[in-house]
Amino acid sequence: MLQGLDAIDWSSWETAYGPATGVPDQLRAIAGDDAAAARSALDRLESSVNHQGIASLAAVPTTPFLVAIARERPSPRLVRLIADLGCAGSHAFVAGGEPLSDALFPELQPVRDAVAGAWDLFAGLLDDRSADLRAAAAVGLGTAFERVAEARGCLVARLPKERSGPVLATIVGALGRLAVEDGHRETAELVGGLLAHKSAPVALAARIAAAMADPTTERLAELLRIARPGEPARGVAWFDGRLDDLALALALDGLATRGEVAILAEAVRTRGIHRVARPLLRAALGPRPRSPEVLRPDAIPASARPVLELIARHFPPPTNYGAGFEAPEEWGLRSLPRLLGVVPPRTLDRAIDGEPLWWVGAEVRAGRRPLAAWEAALATLDPDALEDLARDLVATPTPYRLDLPRGSGWDAWDVADGYAALVRATVTRLGTERTEHWLRREQLDTWRLVPVVDAWSAALEAEGNRPPEDLDALLAEVVDTNGIDPRVARRITARLGPERAERLVLALAPDLLVTRHADGADRPALRGALLVADLAPTPAVRERALGWLATDAWLAHDLDPAQDEPIAVLLASVLGAFDTDTPAEVERAAASAAGRDRGRWAGILGRTAALLRPSA
């Protein structure tokens, strides 16, 4: 199953969390005999290679191995993942009336080729005893646009045999998708007998499939009338069970394309703008809003104006656009005031080689393009535009954000992470002097400043300079940011020089906490003074660290005792920078903790002292 796995340079392929070096072990676990380990590995792999339904470039070497594993050990989730990867991440992200072949990214074509080659896997599983496997197989066949006739034949043959309502609804939905691919209008008649099916999901799926195959105004208006988005239909794999959402999106898309503004205005009145605006935007700007050129104000087609103005009349311009760059149509909806000229465009709207800068950034962050693409775009900007861009990337009350959610843990700040890389490249290009002036003027959350200060201090160091001393308080706040990558905190501190590093360490409180990493595991981590104490191993810093050990007696009571050894190793890694009396001081702190009924903490400190001694 895994022949050739070790021949691939996985470090050269990007996942949502950075280089794909962890993928080989995950694939081995998925192919292994330990069911629990396989599920856990699939969790991690899907999160990184197909993060939030967006396939990263690492899907290219990964998908053929997933197909090989599924042929030997198929599971519903694995089969669904393969089908979704063949759709650039999720079959549910493809607009209902849009051919799947139009939605693919050229760089992910090898993924599509691998999935297309697995169509016989889907066909074979359609008669499996497991209903979940049959449903997953139906999803795969519904996306097999390279072999539409054969895939349709398999699904039609299964229709009279299928006794599971959720699987039947999935099969019908898949037939509707195939009809979009080749214009098979007869599908509307084929599913006509299911319009009155006793299962509500099956009946709705039949109406959706009929509208996909033959999208008359009457069919679309009926979908608009009956669609009631809410909880997903249980067990229905097609569109993740969100059939009402699909029905509403399909209806709005089709009616907007036909210019049925009167019907749409009534939908806005009865349903509210937030329910219908996004699908309307997709329809108004064409079947693929991801196409950068249609999101430029000067390229909005005249036919789209009536629908866009209908949205704009009801959708208030927000002051904070939030993070939504994984779904470019989210940008289009929230940026509608700029598209219509209500507010002026910003640097991220600027077209470079025919593409808006925001799109290049979104692609780089998603791992679909190298950082060099962003750097090439930056080279075309003047200093004022670069500063405007830096502000939009990191400031809170701005109309753009390419950042990650708070609380992601320090893995989110890895240098390979898309957002941090975008910020660092932009700040480096902006230059140290402009960045310093900007930092003095802007009032920003310190957690947003981590990659800014990292890039700025690195550029200063390259010039033979250090950050101004009057900004040391700001640097201390940045180094003390919860969730900061330890490597970044240490880089910033080291760039200050020994004397200022000591002052920074003494300005911070020592701390030890538990951080959840990208692999889902909880691990102890140093923070504040403890994280950077060894960079200024002076008597004052040593006294501060030892005093904390003796009096604070930190202990996460719900942390697995198996973490005690890693905690001791962490502490020893810092305290080892101090003089030879330190082990004895740690032993005294351990004795003090034991005397105050802190047995577990005393044991951790005892182990720390042992690690510090040369004989350990």
Side-chain angles (χ1 to χ4, degrees), residues 156-180:
V156 170
R158 183 66 201 179
L159 273 179
K161 306 176 188 175
E162 188 54 59
R163 294 294 178 264
S164 166
V167 178
L168 185 59
T170 300
I171 291 174
V172 172
L175 285 169
R177 159 52 56 194
L178 292 176
V180 173

mmCIF file of all heavy atoms in Angstrom, residues 156-180:
data_model
loop_
_atom_site.group_PDB
_atom_site.id
_atom_site.type_symbol
_atom_site.label_atom_id
_atom_site.label_comp_id
_atom_site.label_asym_id
_atom_site.label_seq_id
_atom_site.Cartn_x
_atom_site.Cartn_y
_atom_site.Cartn_z
ATOM 1 N N VAL A 156 -27.726 4.778 -11.026
ATOM 2 C CA VAL A 156 -29.090 4.416 -11.454
ATOM 3 C C VAL A 156 -29.374 2.951 -11.141
ATOM 4 O O VAL A 156 -30.473 2.598 -10.701
ATOM 5 C CB VAL A 156 -29.271 4.706 -12.956
ATOM 6 C CG1 VAL A 156 -30.590 4.103 -13.464
ATOM 7 C CG2 VAL A 156 -29.246 6.203 -13.212
ATOM 8 N N ALA A 157 -28.369 2.097 -11.337
ATOM 9 C CA ALA A 157 -28.562 0.677 -11.047
ATOM 10 C C ALA A 157 -28.814 0.438 -9.566
ATOM 11 O O ALA A 157 -29.514 -0.510 -9.173
ATOM 12 C CB ALA A 157 -27.338 -0.113 -11.510
ATOM 13 N N ARG A 158 -28.257 1.294 -8.722
ATOM 14 C CA ARG A 158 -28.423 1.131 -7.274
ATOM 15 C C ARG A 158 -29.752 1.673 -6.782
ATOM 16 O O ARG A 158 -30.255 1.225 -5.728
ATOM 17 C CB ARG A 158 -27.265 1.851 -6.548
ATOM 18 C CG ARG A 158 -27.290 1.698 -5.028
ATOM 19 C CD ARG A 158 -27.055 0.270 -4.589
ATOM 20 N NE ARG A 158 -27.542 0.023 -3.240
ATOM 21 C CZ ARG A 158 -27.484 -1.138 -2.619
ATOM 22 N NH1 ARG A 158 -26.981 -2.197 -3.238
ATOM 23 N NH2 ARG A 158 -27.942 -1.276 -1.401
ATOM 24 N N LEU A 159 -30.358 2.623 -7.492
ATOM 25 C CA LEU A 159 -31.581 3.284 -7.020
ATOM 26 C C LEU A 159 -32.666 2.313 -6.549
ATOM 27 O O LEU A 159 -33.160 2.428 -5.417
ATOM 28 C CB LEU A 159 -32.142 4.200 -8.112
ATOM 29 C CG LEU A 159 -31.613 5.630 -8.178
ATOM 30 C CD1 LEU A 159 -32.264 6.370 -9.338
ATOM 31 C CD2 LEU A 159 -31.915 6.354 -6.876
ATOM 32 N N PRO A 160 -33.089 1.338 -7.359
ATOM 33 C CA PRO A 160 -34.186 0.458 -6.920
ATOM 34 C C PRO A 160 -33.798 -0.503 -5.793
ATOM 35 O O PRO A 160 -34.665 -1.055 -5.113
ATOM 36 C CB PRO A 160 -34.549 -0.313 -8.193
ATOM 37 C CG PRO A 160 -33.310 -0.287 -9.027
ATOM 38 C CD PRO A 160 -32.657 1.029 -8.738
ATOM 39 N N LYS A 161 -32.492 -0.689 -5.570
ATOM 40 C CA LYS A 161 -32.041 -1.623 -4.532
ATOM 41 C C LYS A 161 -31.888 -0.956 -3.174
ATOM 42 O O LYS A 161 -31.933 -1.626 -2.145
ATOM 43 C CB LYS A 161 -30.689 -2.234 -4.915
ATOM 44 C CG LYS A 161 -30.636 -2.889 -6.282
ATOM 45 C CD LYS A 161 -29.198 -3.351 -6.559
ATOM 46 C CE LYS A 161 -29.017 -3.849 -7.974
ATOM 47 N NZ LYS A 161 -27.603 -4.189 -8.258
ATOM 48 N N GLU A 162 -31.682 0.361 -3.186
ATOM 49 C CA GLU A 162 -31.313 1.050 -1.952
ATOM 50 C C GLU A 162 -32.503 1.169 -0.998
ATOM 51 O O GLU A 162 -33.567 1.649 -1.345
ATOM 52 C CB GLU A 162 -30.754 2.443 -2.261
ATOM 53 C CG GLU A 162 -30.163 3.142 -1.050
ATOM 54 C CD GLU A 162 -29.104 2.310 -0.352
ATOM 55 O OE1 GLU A 162 -28.086 1.951 -0.989
ATOM 56 O OE2 GLU A 162 -29.316 1.992 0.839
ATOM 57 N N ARG A 163 -32.289 0.717 0.245
ATOM 58 C CA ARG A 163 -33.347 0.758 1.262
ATOM 59 C C ARG A 163 -33.075 1.813 2.338
ATOM 60 O O ARG A 163 -33.953 2.101 3.144
ATOM 61 C CB ARG A 163 -33.480 -0.621 1.925
ATOM 62 C CG ARG A 163 -33.968 -1.708 0.969
ATOM 63 C CD ARG A 163 -35.407 -1.424 0.521
ATOM 64 N NE ARG A 163 -35.897 -2.404 -0.433
ATOM 65 C CZ ARG A 163 -35.867 -2.218 -1.761
ATOM 66 N NH1 ARG A 163 -35.372 -1.078 -2.273
ATOM 67 N NH2 ARG A 163 -36.321 -3.137 -2.580
ATOM 68 N N SER A 164 -31.896 2.368 2.346
ATOM 69 C CA SER A 164 -31.557 3.394 3.330
ATOM 70 C C SER A 164 -31.928 4.769 2.779
ATOM 71 O O SER A 164 -31.449 5.176 1.714
ATOM 72 C CB SER A 164 -30.055 3.354 3.647
ATOM 73 O OG SER A 164 -29.650 4.522 4.332
ATOM 74 N N GLY A 165 -32.785 5.494 3.493
ATOM 75 C CA GLY A 165 -33.183 6.823 3.049
ATOM 76 C C GLY A 165 -32.014 7.777 2.898
ATOM 77 O O GLY A 165 -31.886 8.441 1.858
ATOM 78 N N PRO A 166 -31.119 7.885 3.901
ATOM 79 C CA PRO A 166 -29.980 8.801 3.755
ATOM 80 C C PRO A 166 -29.083 8.461 2.567
ATOM 81 O O PRO A 166 -28.602 9.355 1.872
ATOM 82 C CB PRO A 166 -29.233 8.634 5.077
ATOM 83 C CG PRO A 166 -30.293 8.236 6.060
ATOM 84 C CD PRO A 166 -31.216 7.360 5.284
ATOM 85 N N VAL A 167 -28.854 7.166 2.327
ATOM 86 C CA VAL A 167 -28.025 6.779 1.189
ATOM 87 C C VAL A 167 -28.753 7.095 -0.113
ATOM 88 O O VAL A 167 -28.152 7.593 -1.079
ATOM 89 C CB VAL A 167 -27.657 5.284 1.251
ATOM 90 C CG1 VAL A 167 -26.830 4.887 0.025
ATOM 91 C CG2 VAL A 167 -26.890 4.969 2.526
ATOM 92 N N LEU A 168 -30.055 6.840 -0.137
ATOM 93 C CA LEU A 168 -30.833 7.147 -1.341
ATOM 94 C C LEU A 168 -30.783 8.642 -1.651
ATOM 95 O O LEU A 168 -30.629 9.047 -2.808
ATOM 96 C CB LEU A 168 -32.280 6.689 -1.143
ATOM 97 C CG LEU A 168 -33.212 6.823 -2.363
ATOM 98 C CD1 LEU A 168 -32.666 6.026 -3.544
ATOM 99 C CD2 LEU A 168 -34.621 6.348 -2.003
ATOM 100 N N ALA A 169 -30.897 9.476 -0.613
ATOM 101 C CA ALA A 169 -30.811 10.927 -0.825
ATOM 102 C C ALA A 169 -29.441 11.313 -1.376
ATOM 103 O O ALA A 169 -29.332 12.193 -2.237
ATOM 104 C CB ALA A 169 -31.081 11.652 0.487
ATOM 105 N N THR A 170 -28.395 10.643 -0.899
ATOM 106 C CA THR A 170 -27.048 10.932 -1.389
ATOM 107 C C THR A 170 -26.902 10.515 -2.845
ATOM 108 O O THR A 170 -26.312 11.230 -3.653
ATOM 109 C CB THR A 170 -26.005 10.205 -0.519
ATOM 110 O OG1 THR A 170 -26.125 10.664 0.835
ATOM 111 C CG2 THR A 170 -24.595 10.473 -1.004
ATOM 112 N N ILE A 171 -27.448 9.358 -3.207
ATOM 113 C CA ILE A 171 -27.382 8.883 -4.595
ATOM 114 C C ILE A 171 -28.103 9.861 -5.515
ATOM 115 O O ILE A 171 -27.606 10.221 -6.590
ATOM 116 C CB ILE A 171 -27.984 7.472 -4.708
ATOM 117 C CG1 ILE A 171 -27.087 6.455 -3.995
ATOM 118 C CG2 ILE A 171 -28.190 7.088 -6.166
ATOM 119 C CD1 ILE A 171 -27.670 5.060 -3.919
ATOM 120 N N VAL A 172 -29.270 10.311 -5.095
ATOM 121 C CA VAL A 172 -30.042 11.250 -5.917
ATOM 122 C C VAL A 172 -29.281 12.567 -6.078
ATOM 123 O O VAL A 172 -29.220 13.136 -7.178
ATOM 124 C CB VAL A 172 -31.430 11.486 -5.282
ATOM 125 C CG1 VAL A 172 -32.165 12.601 -6.005
ATOM 126 C CG2 VAL A 172 -32.258 10.206 -5.334
ATOM 127 N N GLY A 173 -28.702 13.051 -4.982
ATOM 128 C CA GLY A 173 -27.905 14.271 -5.084
ATOM 129 C C GLY A 173 -26.742 14.098 -6.033
ATOM 130 O O GLY A 173 -26.409 15.009 -6.815
ATOM 131 N N ALA A 174 -26.096 12.945 -5.992
ATOM 132 C CA ALA A 174 -24.974 12.678 -6.890
ATOM 133 C C ALA A 174 -25.428 12.663 -8.349
ATOM 134 O O ALA A 174 -24.713 13.141 -9.243
ATOM 135 C CB ALA A 174 -24.326 11.347 -6.524
ATOM 136 N N LEU A 175 -26.608 12.136 -8.601
ATOM 137 C CA LEU A 175 -27.135 12.143 -9.966
ATOM 138 C C LEU A 175 -27.362 13.571 -10.459
ATOM 139 O O LEU A 175 -27.102 13.892 -11.621
ATOM 140 C CB LEU A 175 -28.447 11.354 -10.024
ATOM 141 C CG LEU A 175 -28.313 9.829 -9.959
ATOM 142 C CD1 LEU A 175 -29.662 9.169 -9.764
ATOM 143 C CD2 LEU A 175 -27.654 9.308 -11.247
ATOM 144 N N GLY A 176 -27.844 14.426 -9.553
ATOM 145 C CA GLY A 176 -28.012 15.822 -9.928
ATOM 146 C C GLY A 176 -26.694 16.475 -10.280
ATOM 147 O O GLY A 176 -26.587 17.231 -11.257
ATOM 148 N N ARG A 177 -25.652 16.199 -9.503
ATOM 149 C CA ARG A 177 -24.322 16.748 -9.786
ATOM 150 C C ARG A 177 -23.818 16.290 -11.151
ATOM 151 O O ARG A 177 -23.281 17.086 -11.928
ATOM 152 C CB ARG A 177 -23.369 16.332 -8.674
ATOM 153 C CG ARG A 177 -21.907 16.359 -8.979
ATOM 154 C CD ARG A 177 -21.388 17.646 -9.555
ATOM 155 N NE ARG A 177 -21.673 18.807 -8.731
ATOM 156 C CZ ARG A 177 -21.560 20.054 -9.155
ATOM 157 N NH1 ARG A 177 -21.200 20.287 -10.400
ATOM 158 N NH2 ARG A 177 -21.823 21.069 -8.356
ATOM 159 N N LEU A 178 -23.991 15.009 -11.479
ATOM 160 C CA LEU A 178 -23.542 14.499 -12.771
ATOM 161 C C LEU A 178 -24.305 15.145 -13.916
ATOM 162 O O LEU A 178 -23.745 15.379 -14.997
ATOM 163 C CB LEU A 178 -23.698 12.976 -12.819
ATOM 164 C CG LEU A 178 -22.775 12.180 -11.883
ATOM 165 C CD1 LEU A 178 -23.102 10.699 -11.957
ATOM 166 C CD2 LEU A 178 -21.307 12.418 -12.236
ATOM 167 N N ALA A 179 -25.579 15.457 -13.677
ATOM 168 C CA ALA A 179 -26.369 16.108 -14.723
ATOM 169 C C ALA A 179 -25.814 17.489 -15.051
ATOM 170 O O ALA A 179 -25.872 17.941 -16.207
ATOM 171 C CB ALA A 179 -27.832 16.214 -14.281
ATOM 172 N N VAL A 180 -25.281 18.179 -14.051
ATOM 173 C CA VAL A 180 -24.652 19.480 -14.296
ATOM 174 C C VAL A 180 -23.433 19.321 -15.197
ATOM 175 O O VAL A 180 -23.159 20.168 -16.052
ATOM 176 C CB VAL A 180 -24.253 20.140 -12.953
ATOM 177 C CG1 VAL A 180 -23.435 21.405 -13.195
ATOM 178 C CG2 VAL A 180 -25.485 20.461 -12.129
#
